[in-house]
Amino acid sequence: MADRYWYEDAVFYHIYTFSLAQTPFQNDYAAQGHAFSEIETWLPHITKLGCNAVLFSPVLKSRSHGYDVTDYFTIDNRAGTNDEFKSLVDTFRKNGVRVILDSVFNHCGRDFFAFQELRNGNRDYAAWFSGVDFNRQSPMGDPFHYDTWSGYYELPKFNLQHAPVRQYLLDAAKFWISEFGIDGMRLDSANVLDFGFMRELRSVTTSLKSDFWLMGEVVGGEYQRWVDGSTLHSVTNYILYKSLFSSHNDNNLYELAHSLQNAKPSNGLPLYNFLDNHDQPRIASSIKNGAFLEMLYTAMFTLPGLPSIYYGSEWGIRGVKENGSDQPLRPYIDINNPPPDAPALPARIAKLAGIRQRHDALKYGGYKQVFLEYHRPFVFERSSGNERIFVALNVGESPDTFSLSGQHGGGFTDLLTNENINSQSAASIPVAPFSVRVLKALS
């Protein structure tokens, strides 16, 4: 087998940095925080969960939430300094945890130097931004109009066809790799990001670090457009995300099975799987039955793709947007006093991470639907080489059975319970209500 890159074995932990740093929402650019030492105290918990990569949502200097970047070469003063972030990255990497930086290349904040130059009348910077029109005013009172991200005038859209802009952003990416030693980037708003820029970014980052990983935020569409050998390694798997919790809520696993036809690219490259994130409700708030939590994490760890845990959700915390604000999704959590909501869930996640790491079929294997019938267990197979693993999900409130008769003559072992099932019993394997079985075929 050819050598594999680290990200093919990755289990991600996603941190919204400003929340754990307890930063004020608005940055006055004056106060200097020093929060990375506290964030470092999360490292034992992260590794105990079985995570070997961490995604830090924006850490660069910005006016508010991090996606309105002010300075692409400076860590946000509310959280810490460049040297402090570099030390944090070094510590994580020395402990076997790769570091991914959330990166914003589609747009910037209004305090970004080039936009400030334009506001001050320097029209040389008009080409830095998309759709600049001096015949109209912006709703912000500027003597020109400009394109934005999704109609938010706090987020001017870059003109990535303009060579100086591209070079500036590529230089920033080089700086993050050389100065901080990061291992990858999540590209914010990749669904509207220029494809030519993404290909150039892939080339530049790979030349600096052959195993550098690029993942894009893409909500819908044909994922193959973004995930290939020249653009991105992965994208956010929103198709699977939606179908996972809604199929459980509706006891309709046809939805999950159908989504799997489109939720993985035909080229086999792994997508980034998640149950919630900094933009979406906490999974515990999205489900109708708390028993689904363990089921959903089990499904995520056994389906094709790279599993990710959003900080705090491993304890089953709740959170939904309020009055259009994402802040309830991004609370501060004291790692020394974790939430009491679902105390058994972290151990289950750690077990799942260990199972995944020990079995190539779950990390790299193919996917095949084995059994699907309305209100019955959904059974699928993951296989790699001679290893075959069968997963059965029972979303119903009653016990049921499923058959693996003829699938393997040597019997099976349940990787969650260590129970052995002989070939004679394979015709009617019991599965409890609201539960999952993960069965490895014995040689």
Short mmCIF file of all heavy atoms in Angstrom, two decimals, residues 8 10 21-22 51 79 147 200 220 268 335 352 354 372 389:
data_model
loop_
_atom_site.label_atom_id
_atom_site.label_comp_id
_atom_site.label_asym_id
_atom_site.label_seq_id
_atom_site.Cartn_x
_atom_site.Cartn_y
_atom_site.Cartn_z
N GLU A 8 -5.64 11.64 5.87
CA GLU A 8 -6.49 10.50 5.57
C GLU A 8 -6.85 9.72 6.83
O GLU A 8 -7.81 8.93 6.83
CB GLU A 8 -5.82 9.60 4.54
CG GLU A 8 -5.59 10.27 3.19
CD GLU A 8 -4.88 9.36 2.20
OE1 GLU A 8 -5.55 8.50 1.62
OE2 GLU A 8 -3.65 9.52 2.04
N ALA A 10 -7.26 11.43 9.77
CA ALA A 10 -7.54 12.51 10.71
C ALA A 10 -8.92 12.39 11.37
O ALA A 10 -9.91 12.00 10.74
CB ALA A 10 -7.43 13.86 10.01
N ALA A 21 -11.12 32.07 24.08
CA ALA A 21 -10.26 33.18 24.51
C ALA A 21 -11.04 34.25 25.28
O ALA A 21 -10.44 35.19 25.81
CB ALA A 21 -9.58 33.82 23.30
N GLN A 22 -12.37 34.08 25.33
CA GLN A 22 -13.26 35.04 26.03
C GLN A 22 -13.02 36.48 25.57
O GLN A 22 -12.91 37.41 26.39
CB GLN A 22 -13.09 34.93 27.54
CG GLN A 22 -13.39 33.57 28.12
CD GLN A 22 -13.37 33.56 29.62
OE1 GLN A 22 -14.31 33.99 30.28
NE2 GLN A 22 -12.29 33.06 30.20
N CYS A 51 -8.78 12.66 18.92
CA CYS A 51 -8.58 13.62 17.83
C CYS A 51 -7.08 13.83 17.60
O CYS A 51 -6.31 13.95 18.55
CB CYS A 51 -9.25 14.94 18.15
SG CYS A 51 -11.05 14.83 18.35
N ALA A 79 -6.84 37.83 21.35
CA ALA A 79 -6.54 36.45 21.74
C ALA A 79 -5.09 36.26 22.16
O ALA A 79 -4.80 35.48 23.08
CB ALA A 79 -6.86 35.51 20.58
N ASP A 147 -18.98 45.03 -4.31
CA ASP A 147 -19.55 43.72 -4.06
C ASP A 147 -19.17 43.25 -2.65
O ASP A 147 -18.15 43.66 -2.09
CB ASP A 147 -19.05 42.70 -5.09
CG ASP A 147 -19.56 42.98 -6.49
OD1 ASP A 147 -20.60 43.67 -6.61
OD2 ASP A 147 -18.93 42.52 -7.46
N GLU A 200 -4.13 27.91 -7.60
CA GLU A 200 -2.82 28.50 -7.35
C GLU A 200 -2.43 28.31 -5.88
O GLU A 200 -1.27 28.02 -5.58
CB GLU A 200 -2.84 29.99 -7.71
CG GLU A 200 -1.46 30.61 -7.74
CD GLU A 200 -1.46 32.01 -8.34
OE1 GLU A 200 -2.53 32.50 -8.77
OE2 GLU A 200 -0.37 32.61 -8.37
N GLY A 220 -23.64 23.32 -0.84
CA GLY A 220 -24.30 22.43 -1.79
C GLY A 220 -23.57 22.38 -3.10
O GLY A 220 -22.49 22.96 -3.26
N GLY A 268 -13.48 9.39 -4.80
CA GLY A 268 -13.09 8.71 -3.58
C GLY A 268 -12.41 9.57 -2.55
O GLY A 268 -12.11 9.10 -1.45
N ILE A 335 -12.67 24.10 30.60
CA ILE A 335 -12.29 22.70 30.44
C ILE A 335 -12.15 22.01 31.79
O ILE A 335 -12.28 20.77 31.89
CB ILE A 335 -10.98 22.58 29.63
CG1 ILE A 335 -10.69 21.11 29.29
CG2 ILE A 335 -9.82 23.22 30.37
CD1 ILE A 335 -11.76 20.42 28.49
N LEU A 352 -15.08 5.20 19.55
CA LEU A 352 -15.30 5.22 18.11
C LEU A 352 -14.05 5.67 17.37
O LEU A 352 -13.70 5.11 16.31
CB LEU A 352 -16.46 6.15 17.77
CG LEU A 352 -17.85 5.68 18.21
CD1 LEU A 352 -18.85 6.82 18.11
CD2 LEU A 352 -18.29 4.49 17.35
N GLY A 354 -10.98 5.30 18.35
CA GLY A 354 -10.03 4.20 18.40
C GLY A 354 -10.38 3.10 17.42
O GLY A 354 -9.49 2.55 16.74
N LEU A 372 -31.93 -1.94 3.10
CA LEU A 372 -32.70 -0.72 3.36
C LEU A 372 -34.17 -1.02 3.16
O LEU A 372 -34.60 -1.46 2.08
CB LEU A 372 -32.27 0.41 2.42
CG LEU A 372 -33.03 1.73 2.55
CD1 LEU A 372 -32.78 2.36 3.91
CD2 LEU A 372 -32.62 2.69 1.44
N ILE A 389 -16.50 -4.59 7.25
CA ILE A 389 -17.20 -4.15 8.45
C ILE A 389 -18.62 -3.76 8.06
O ILE A 389 -18.83 -3.00 7.09
CB ILE A 389 -16.47 -2.98 9.13
CG1 ILE A 389 -15.11 -3.46 9.67
CG2 ILE A 389 -17.31 -2.40 10.27
CD1 ILE A 389 -14.28 -2.36 10.28
#
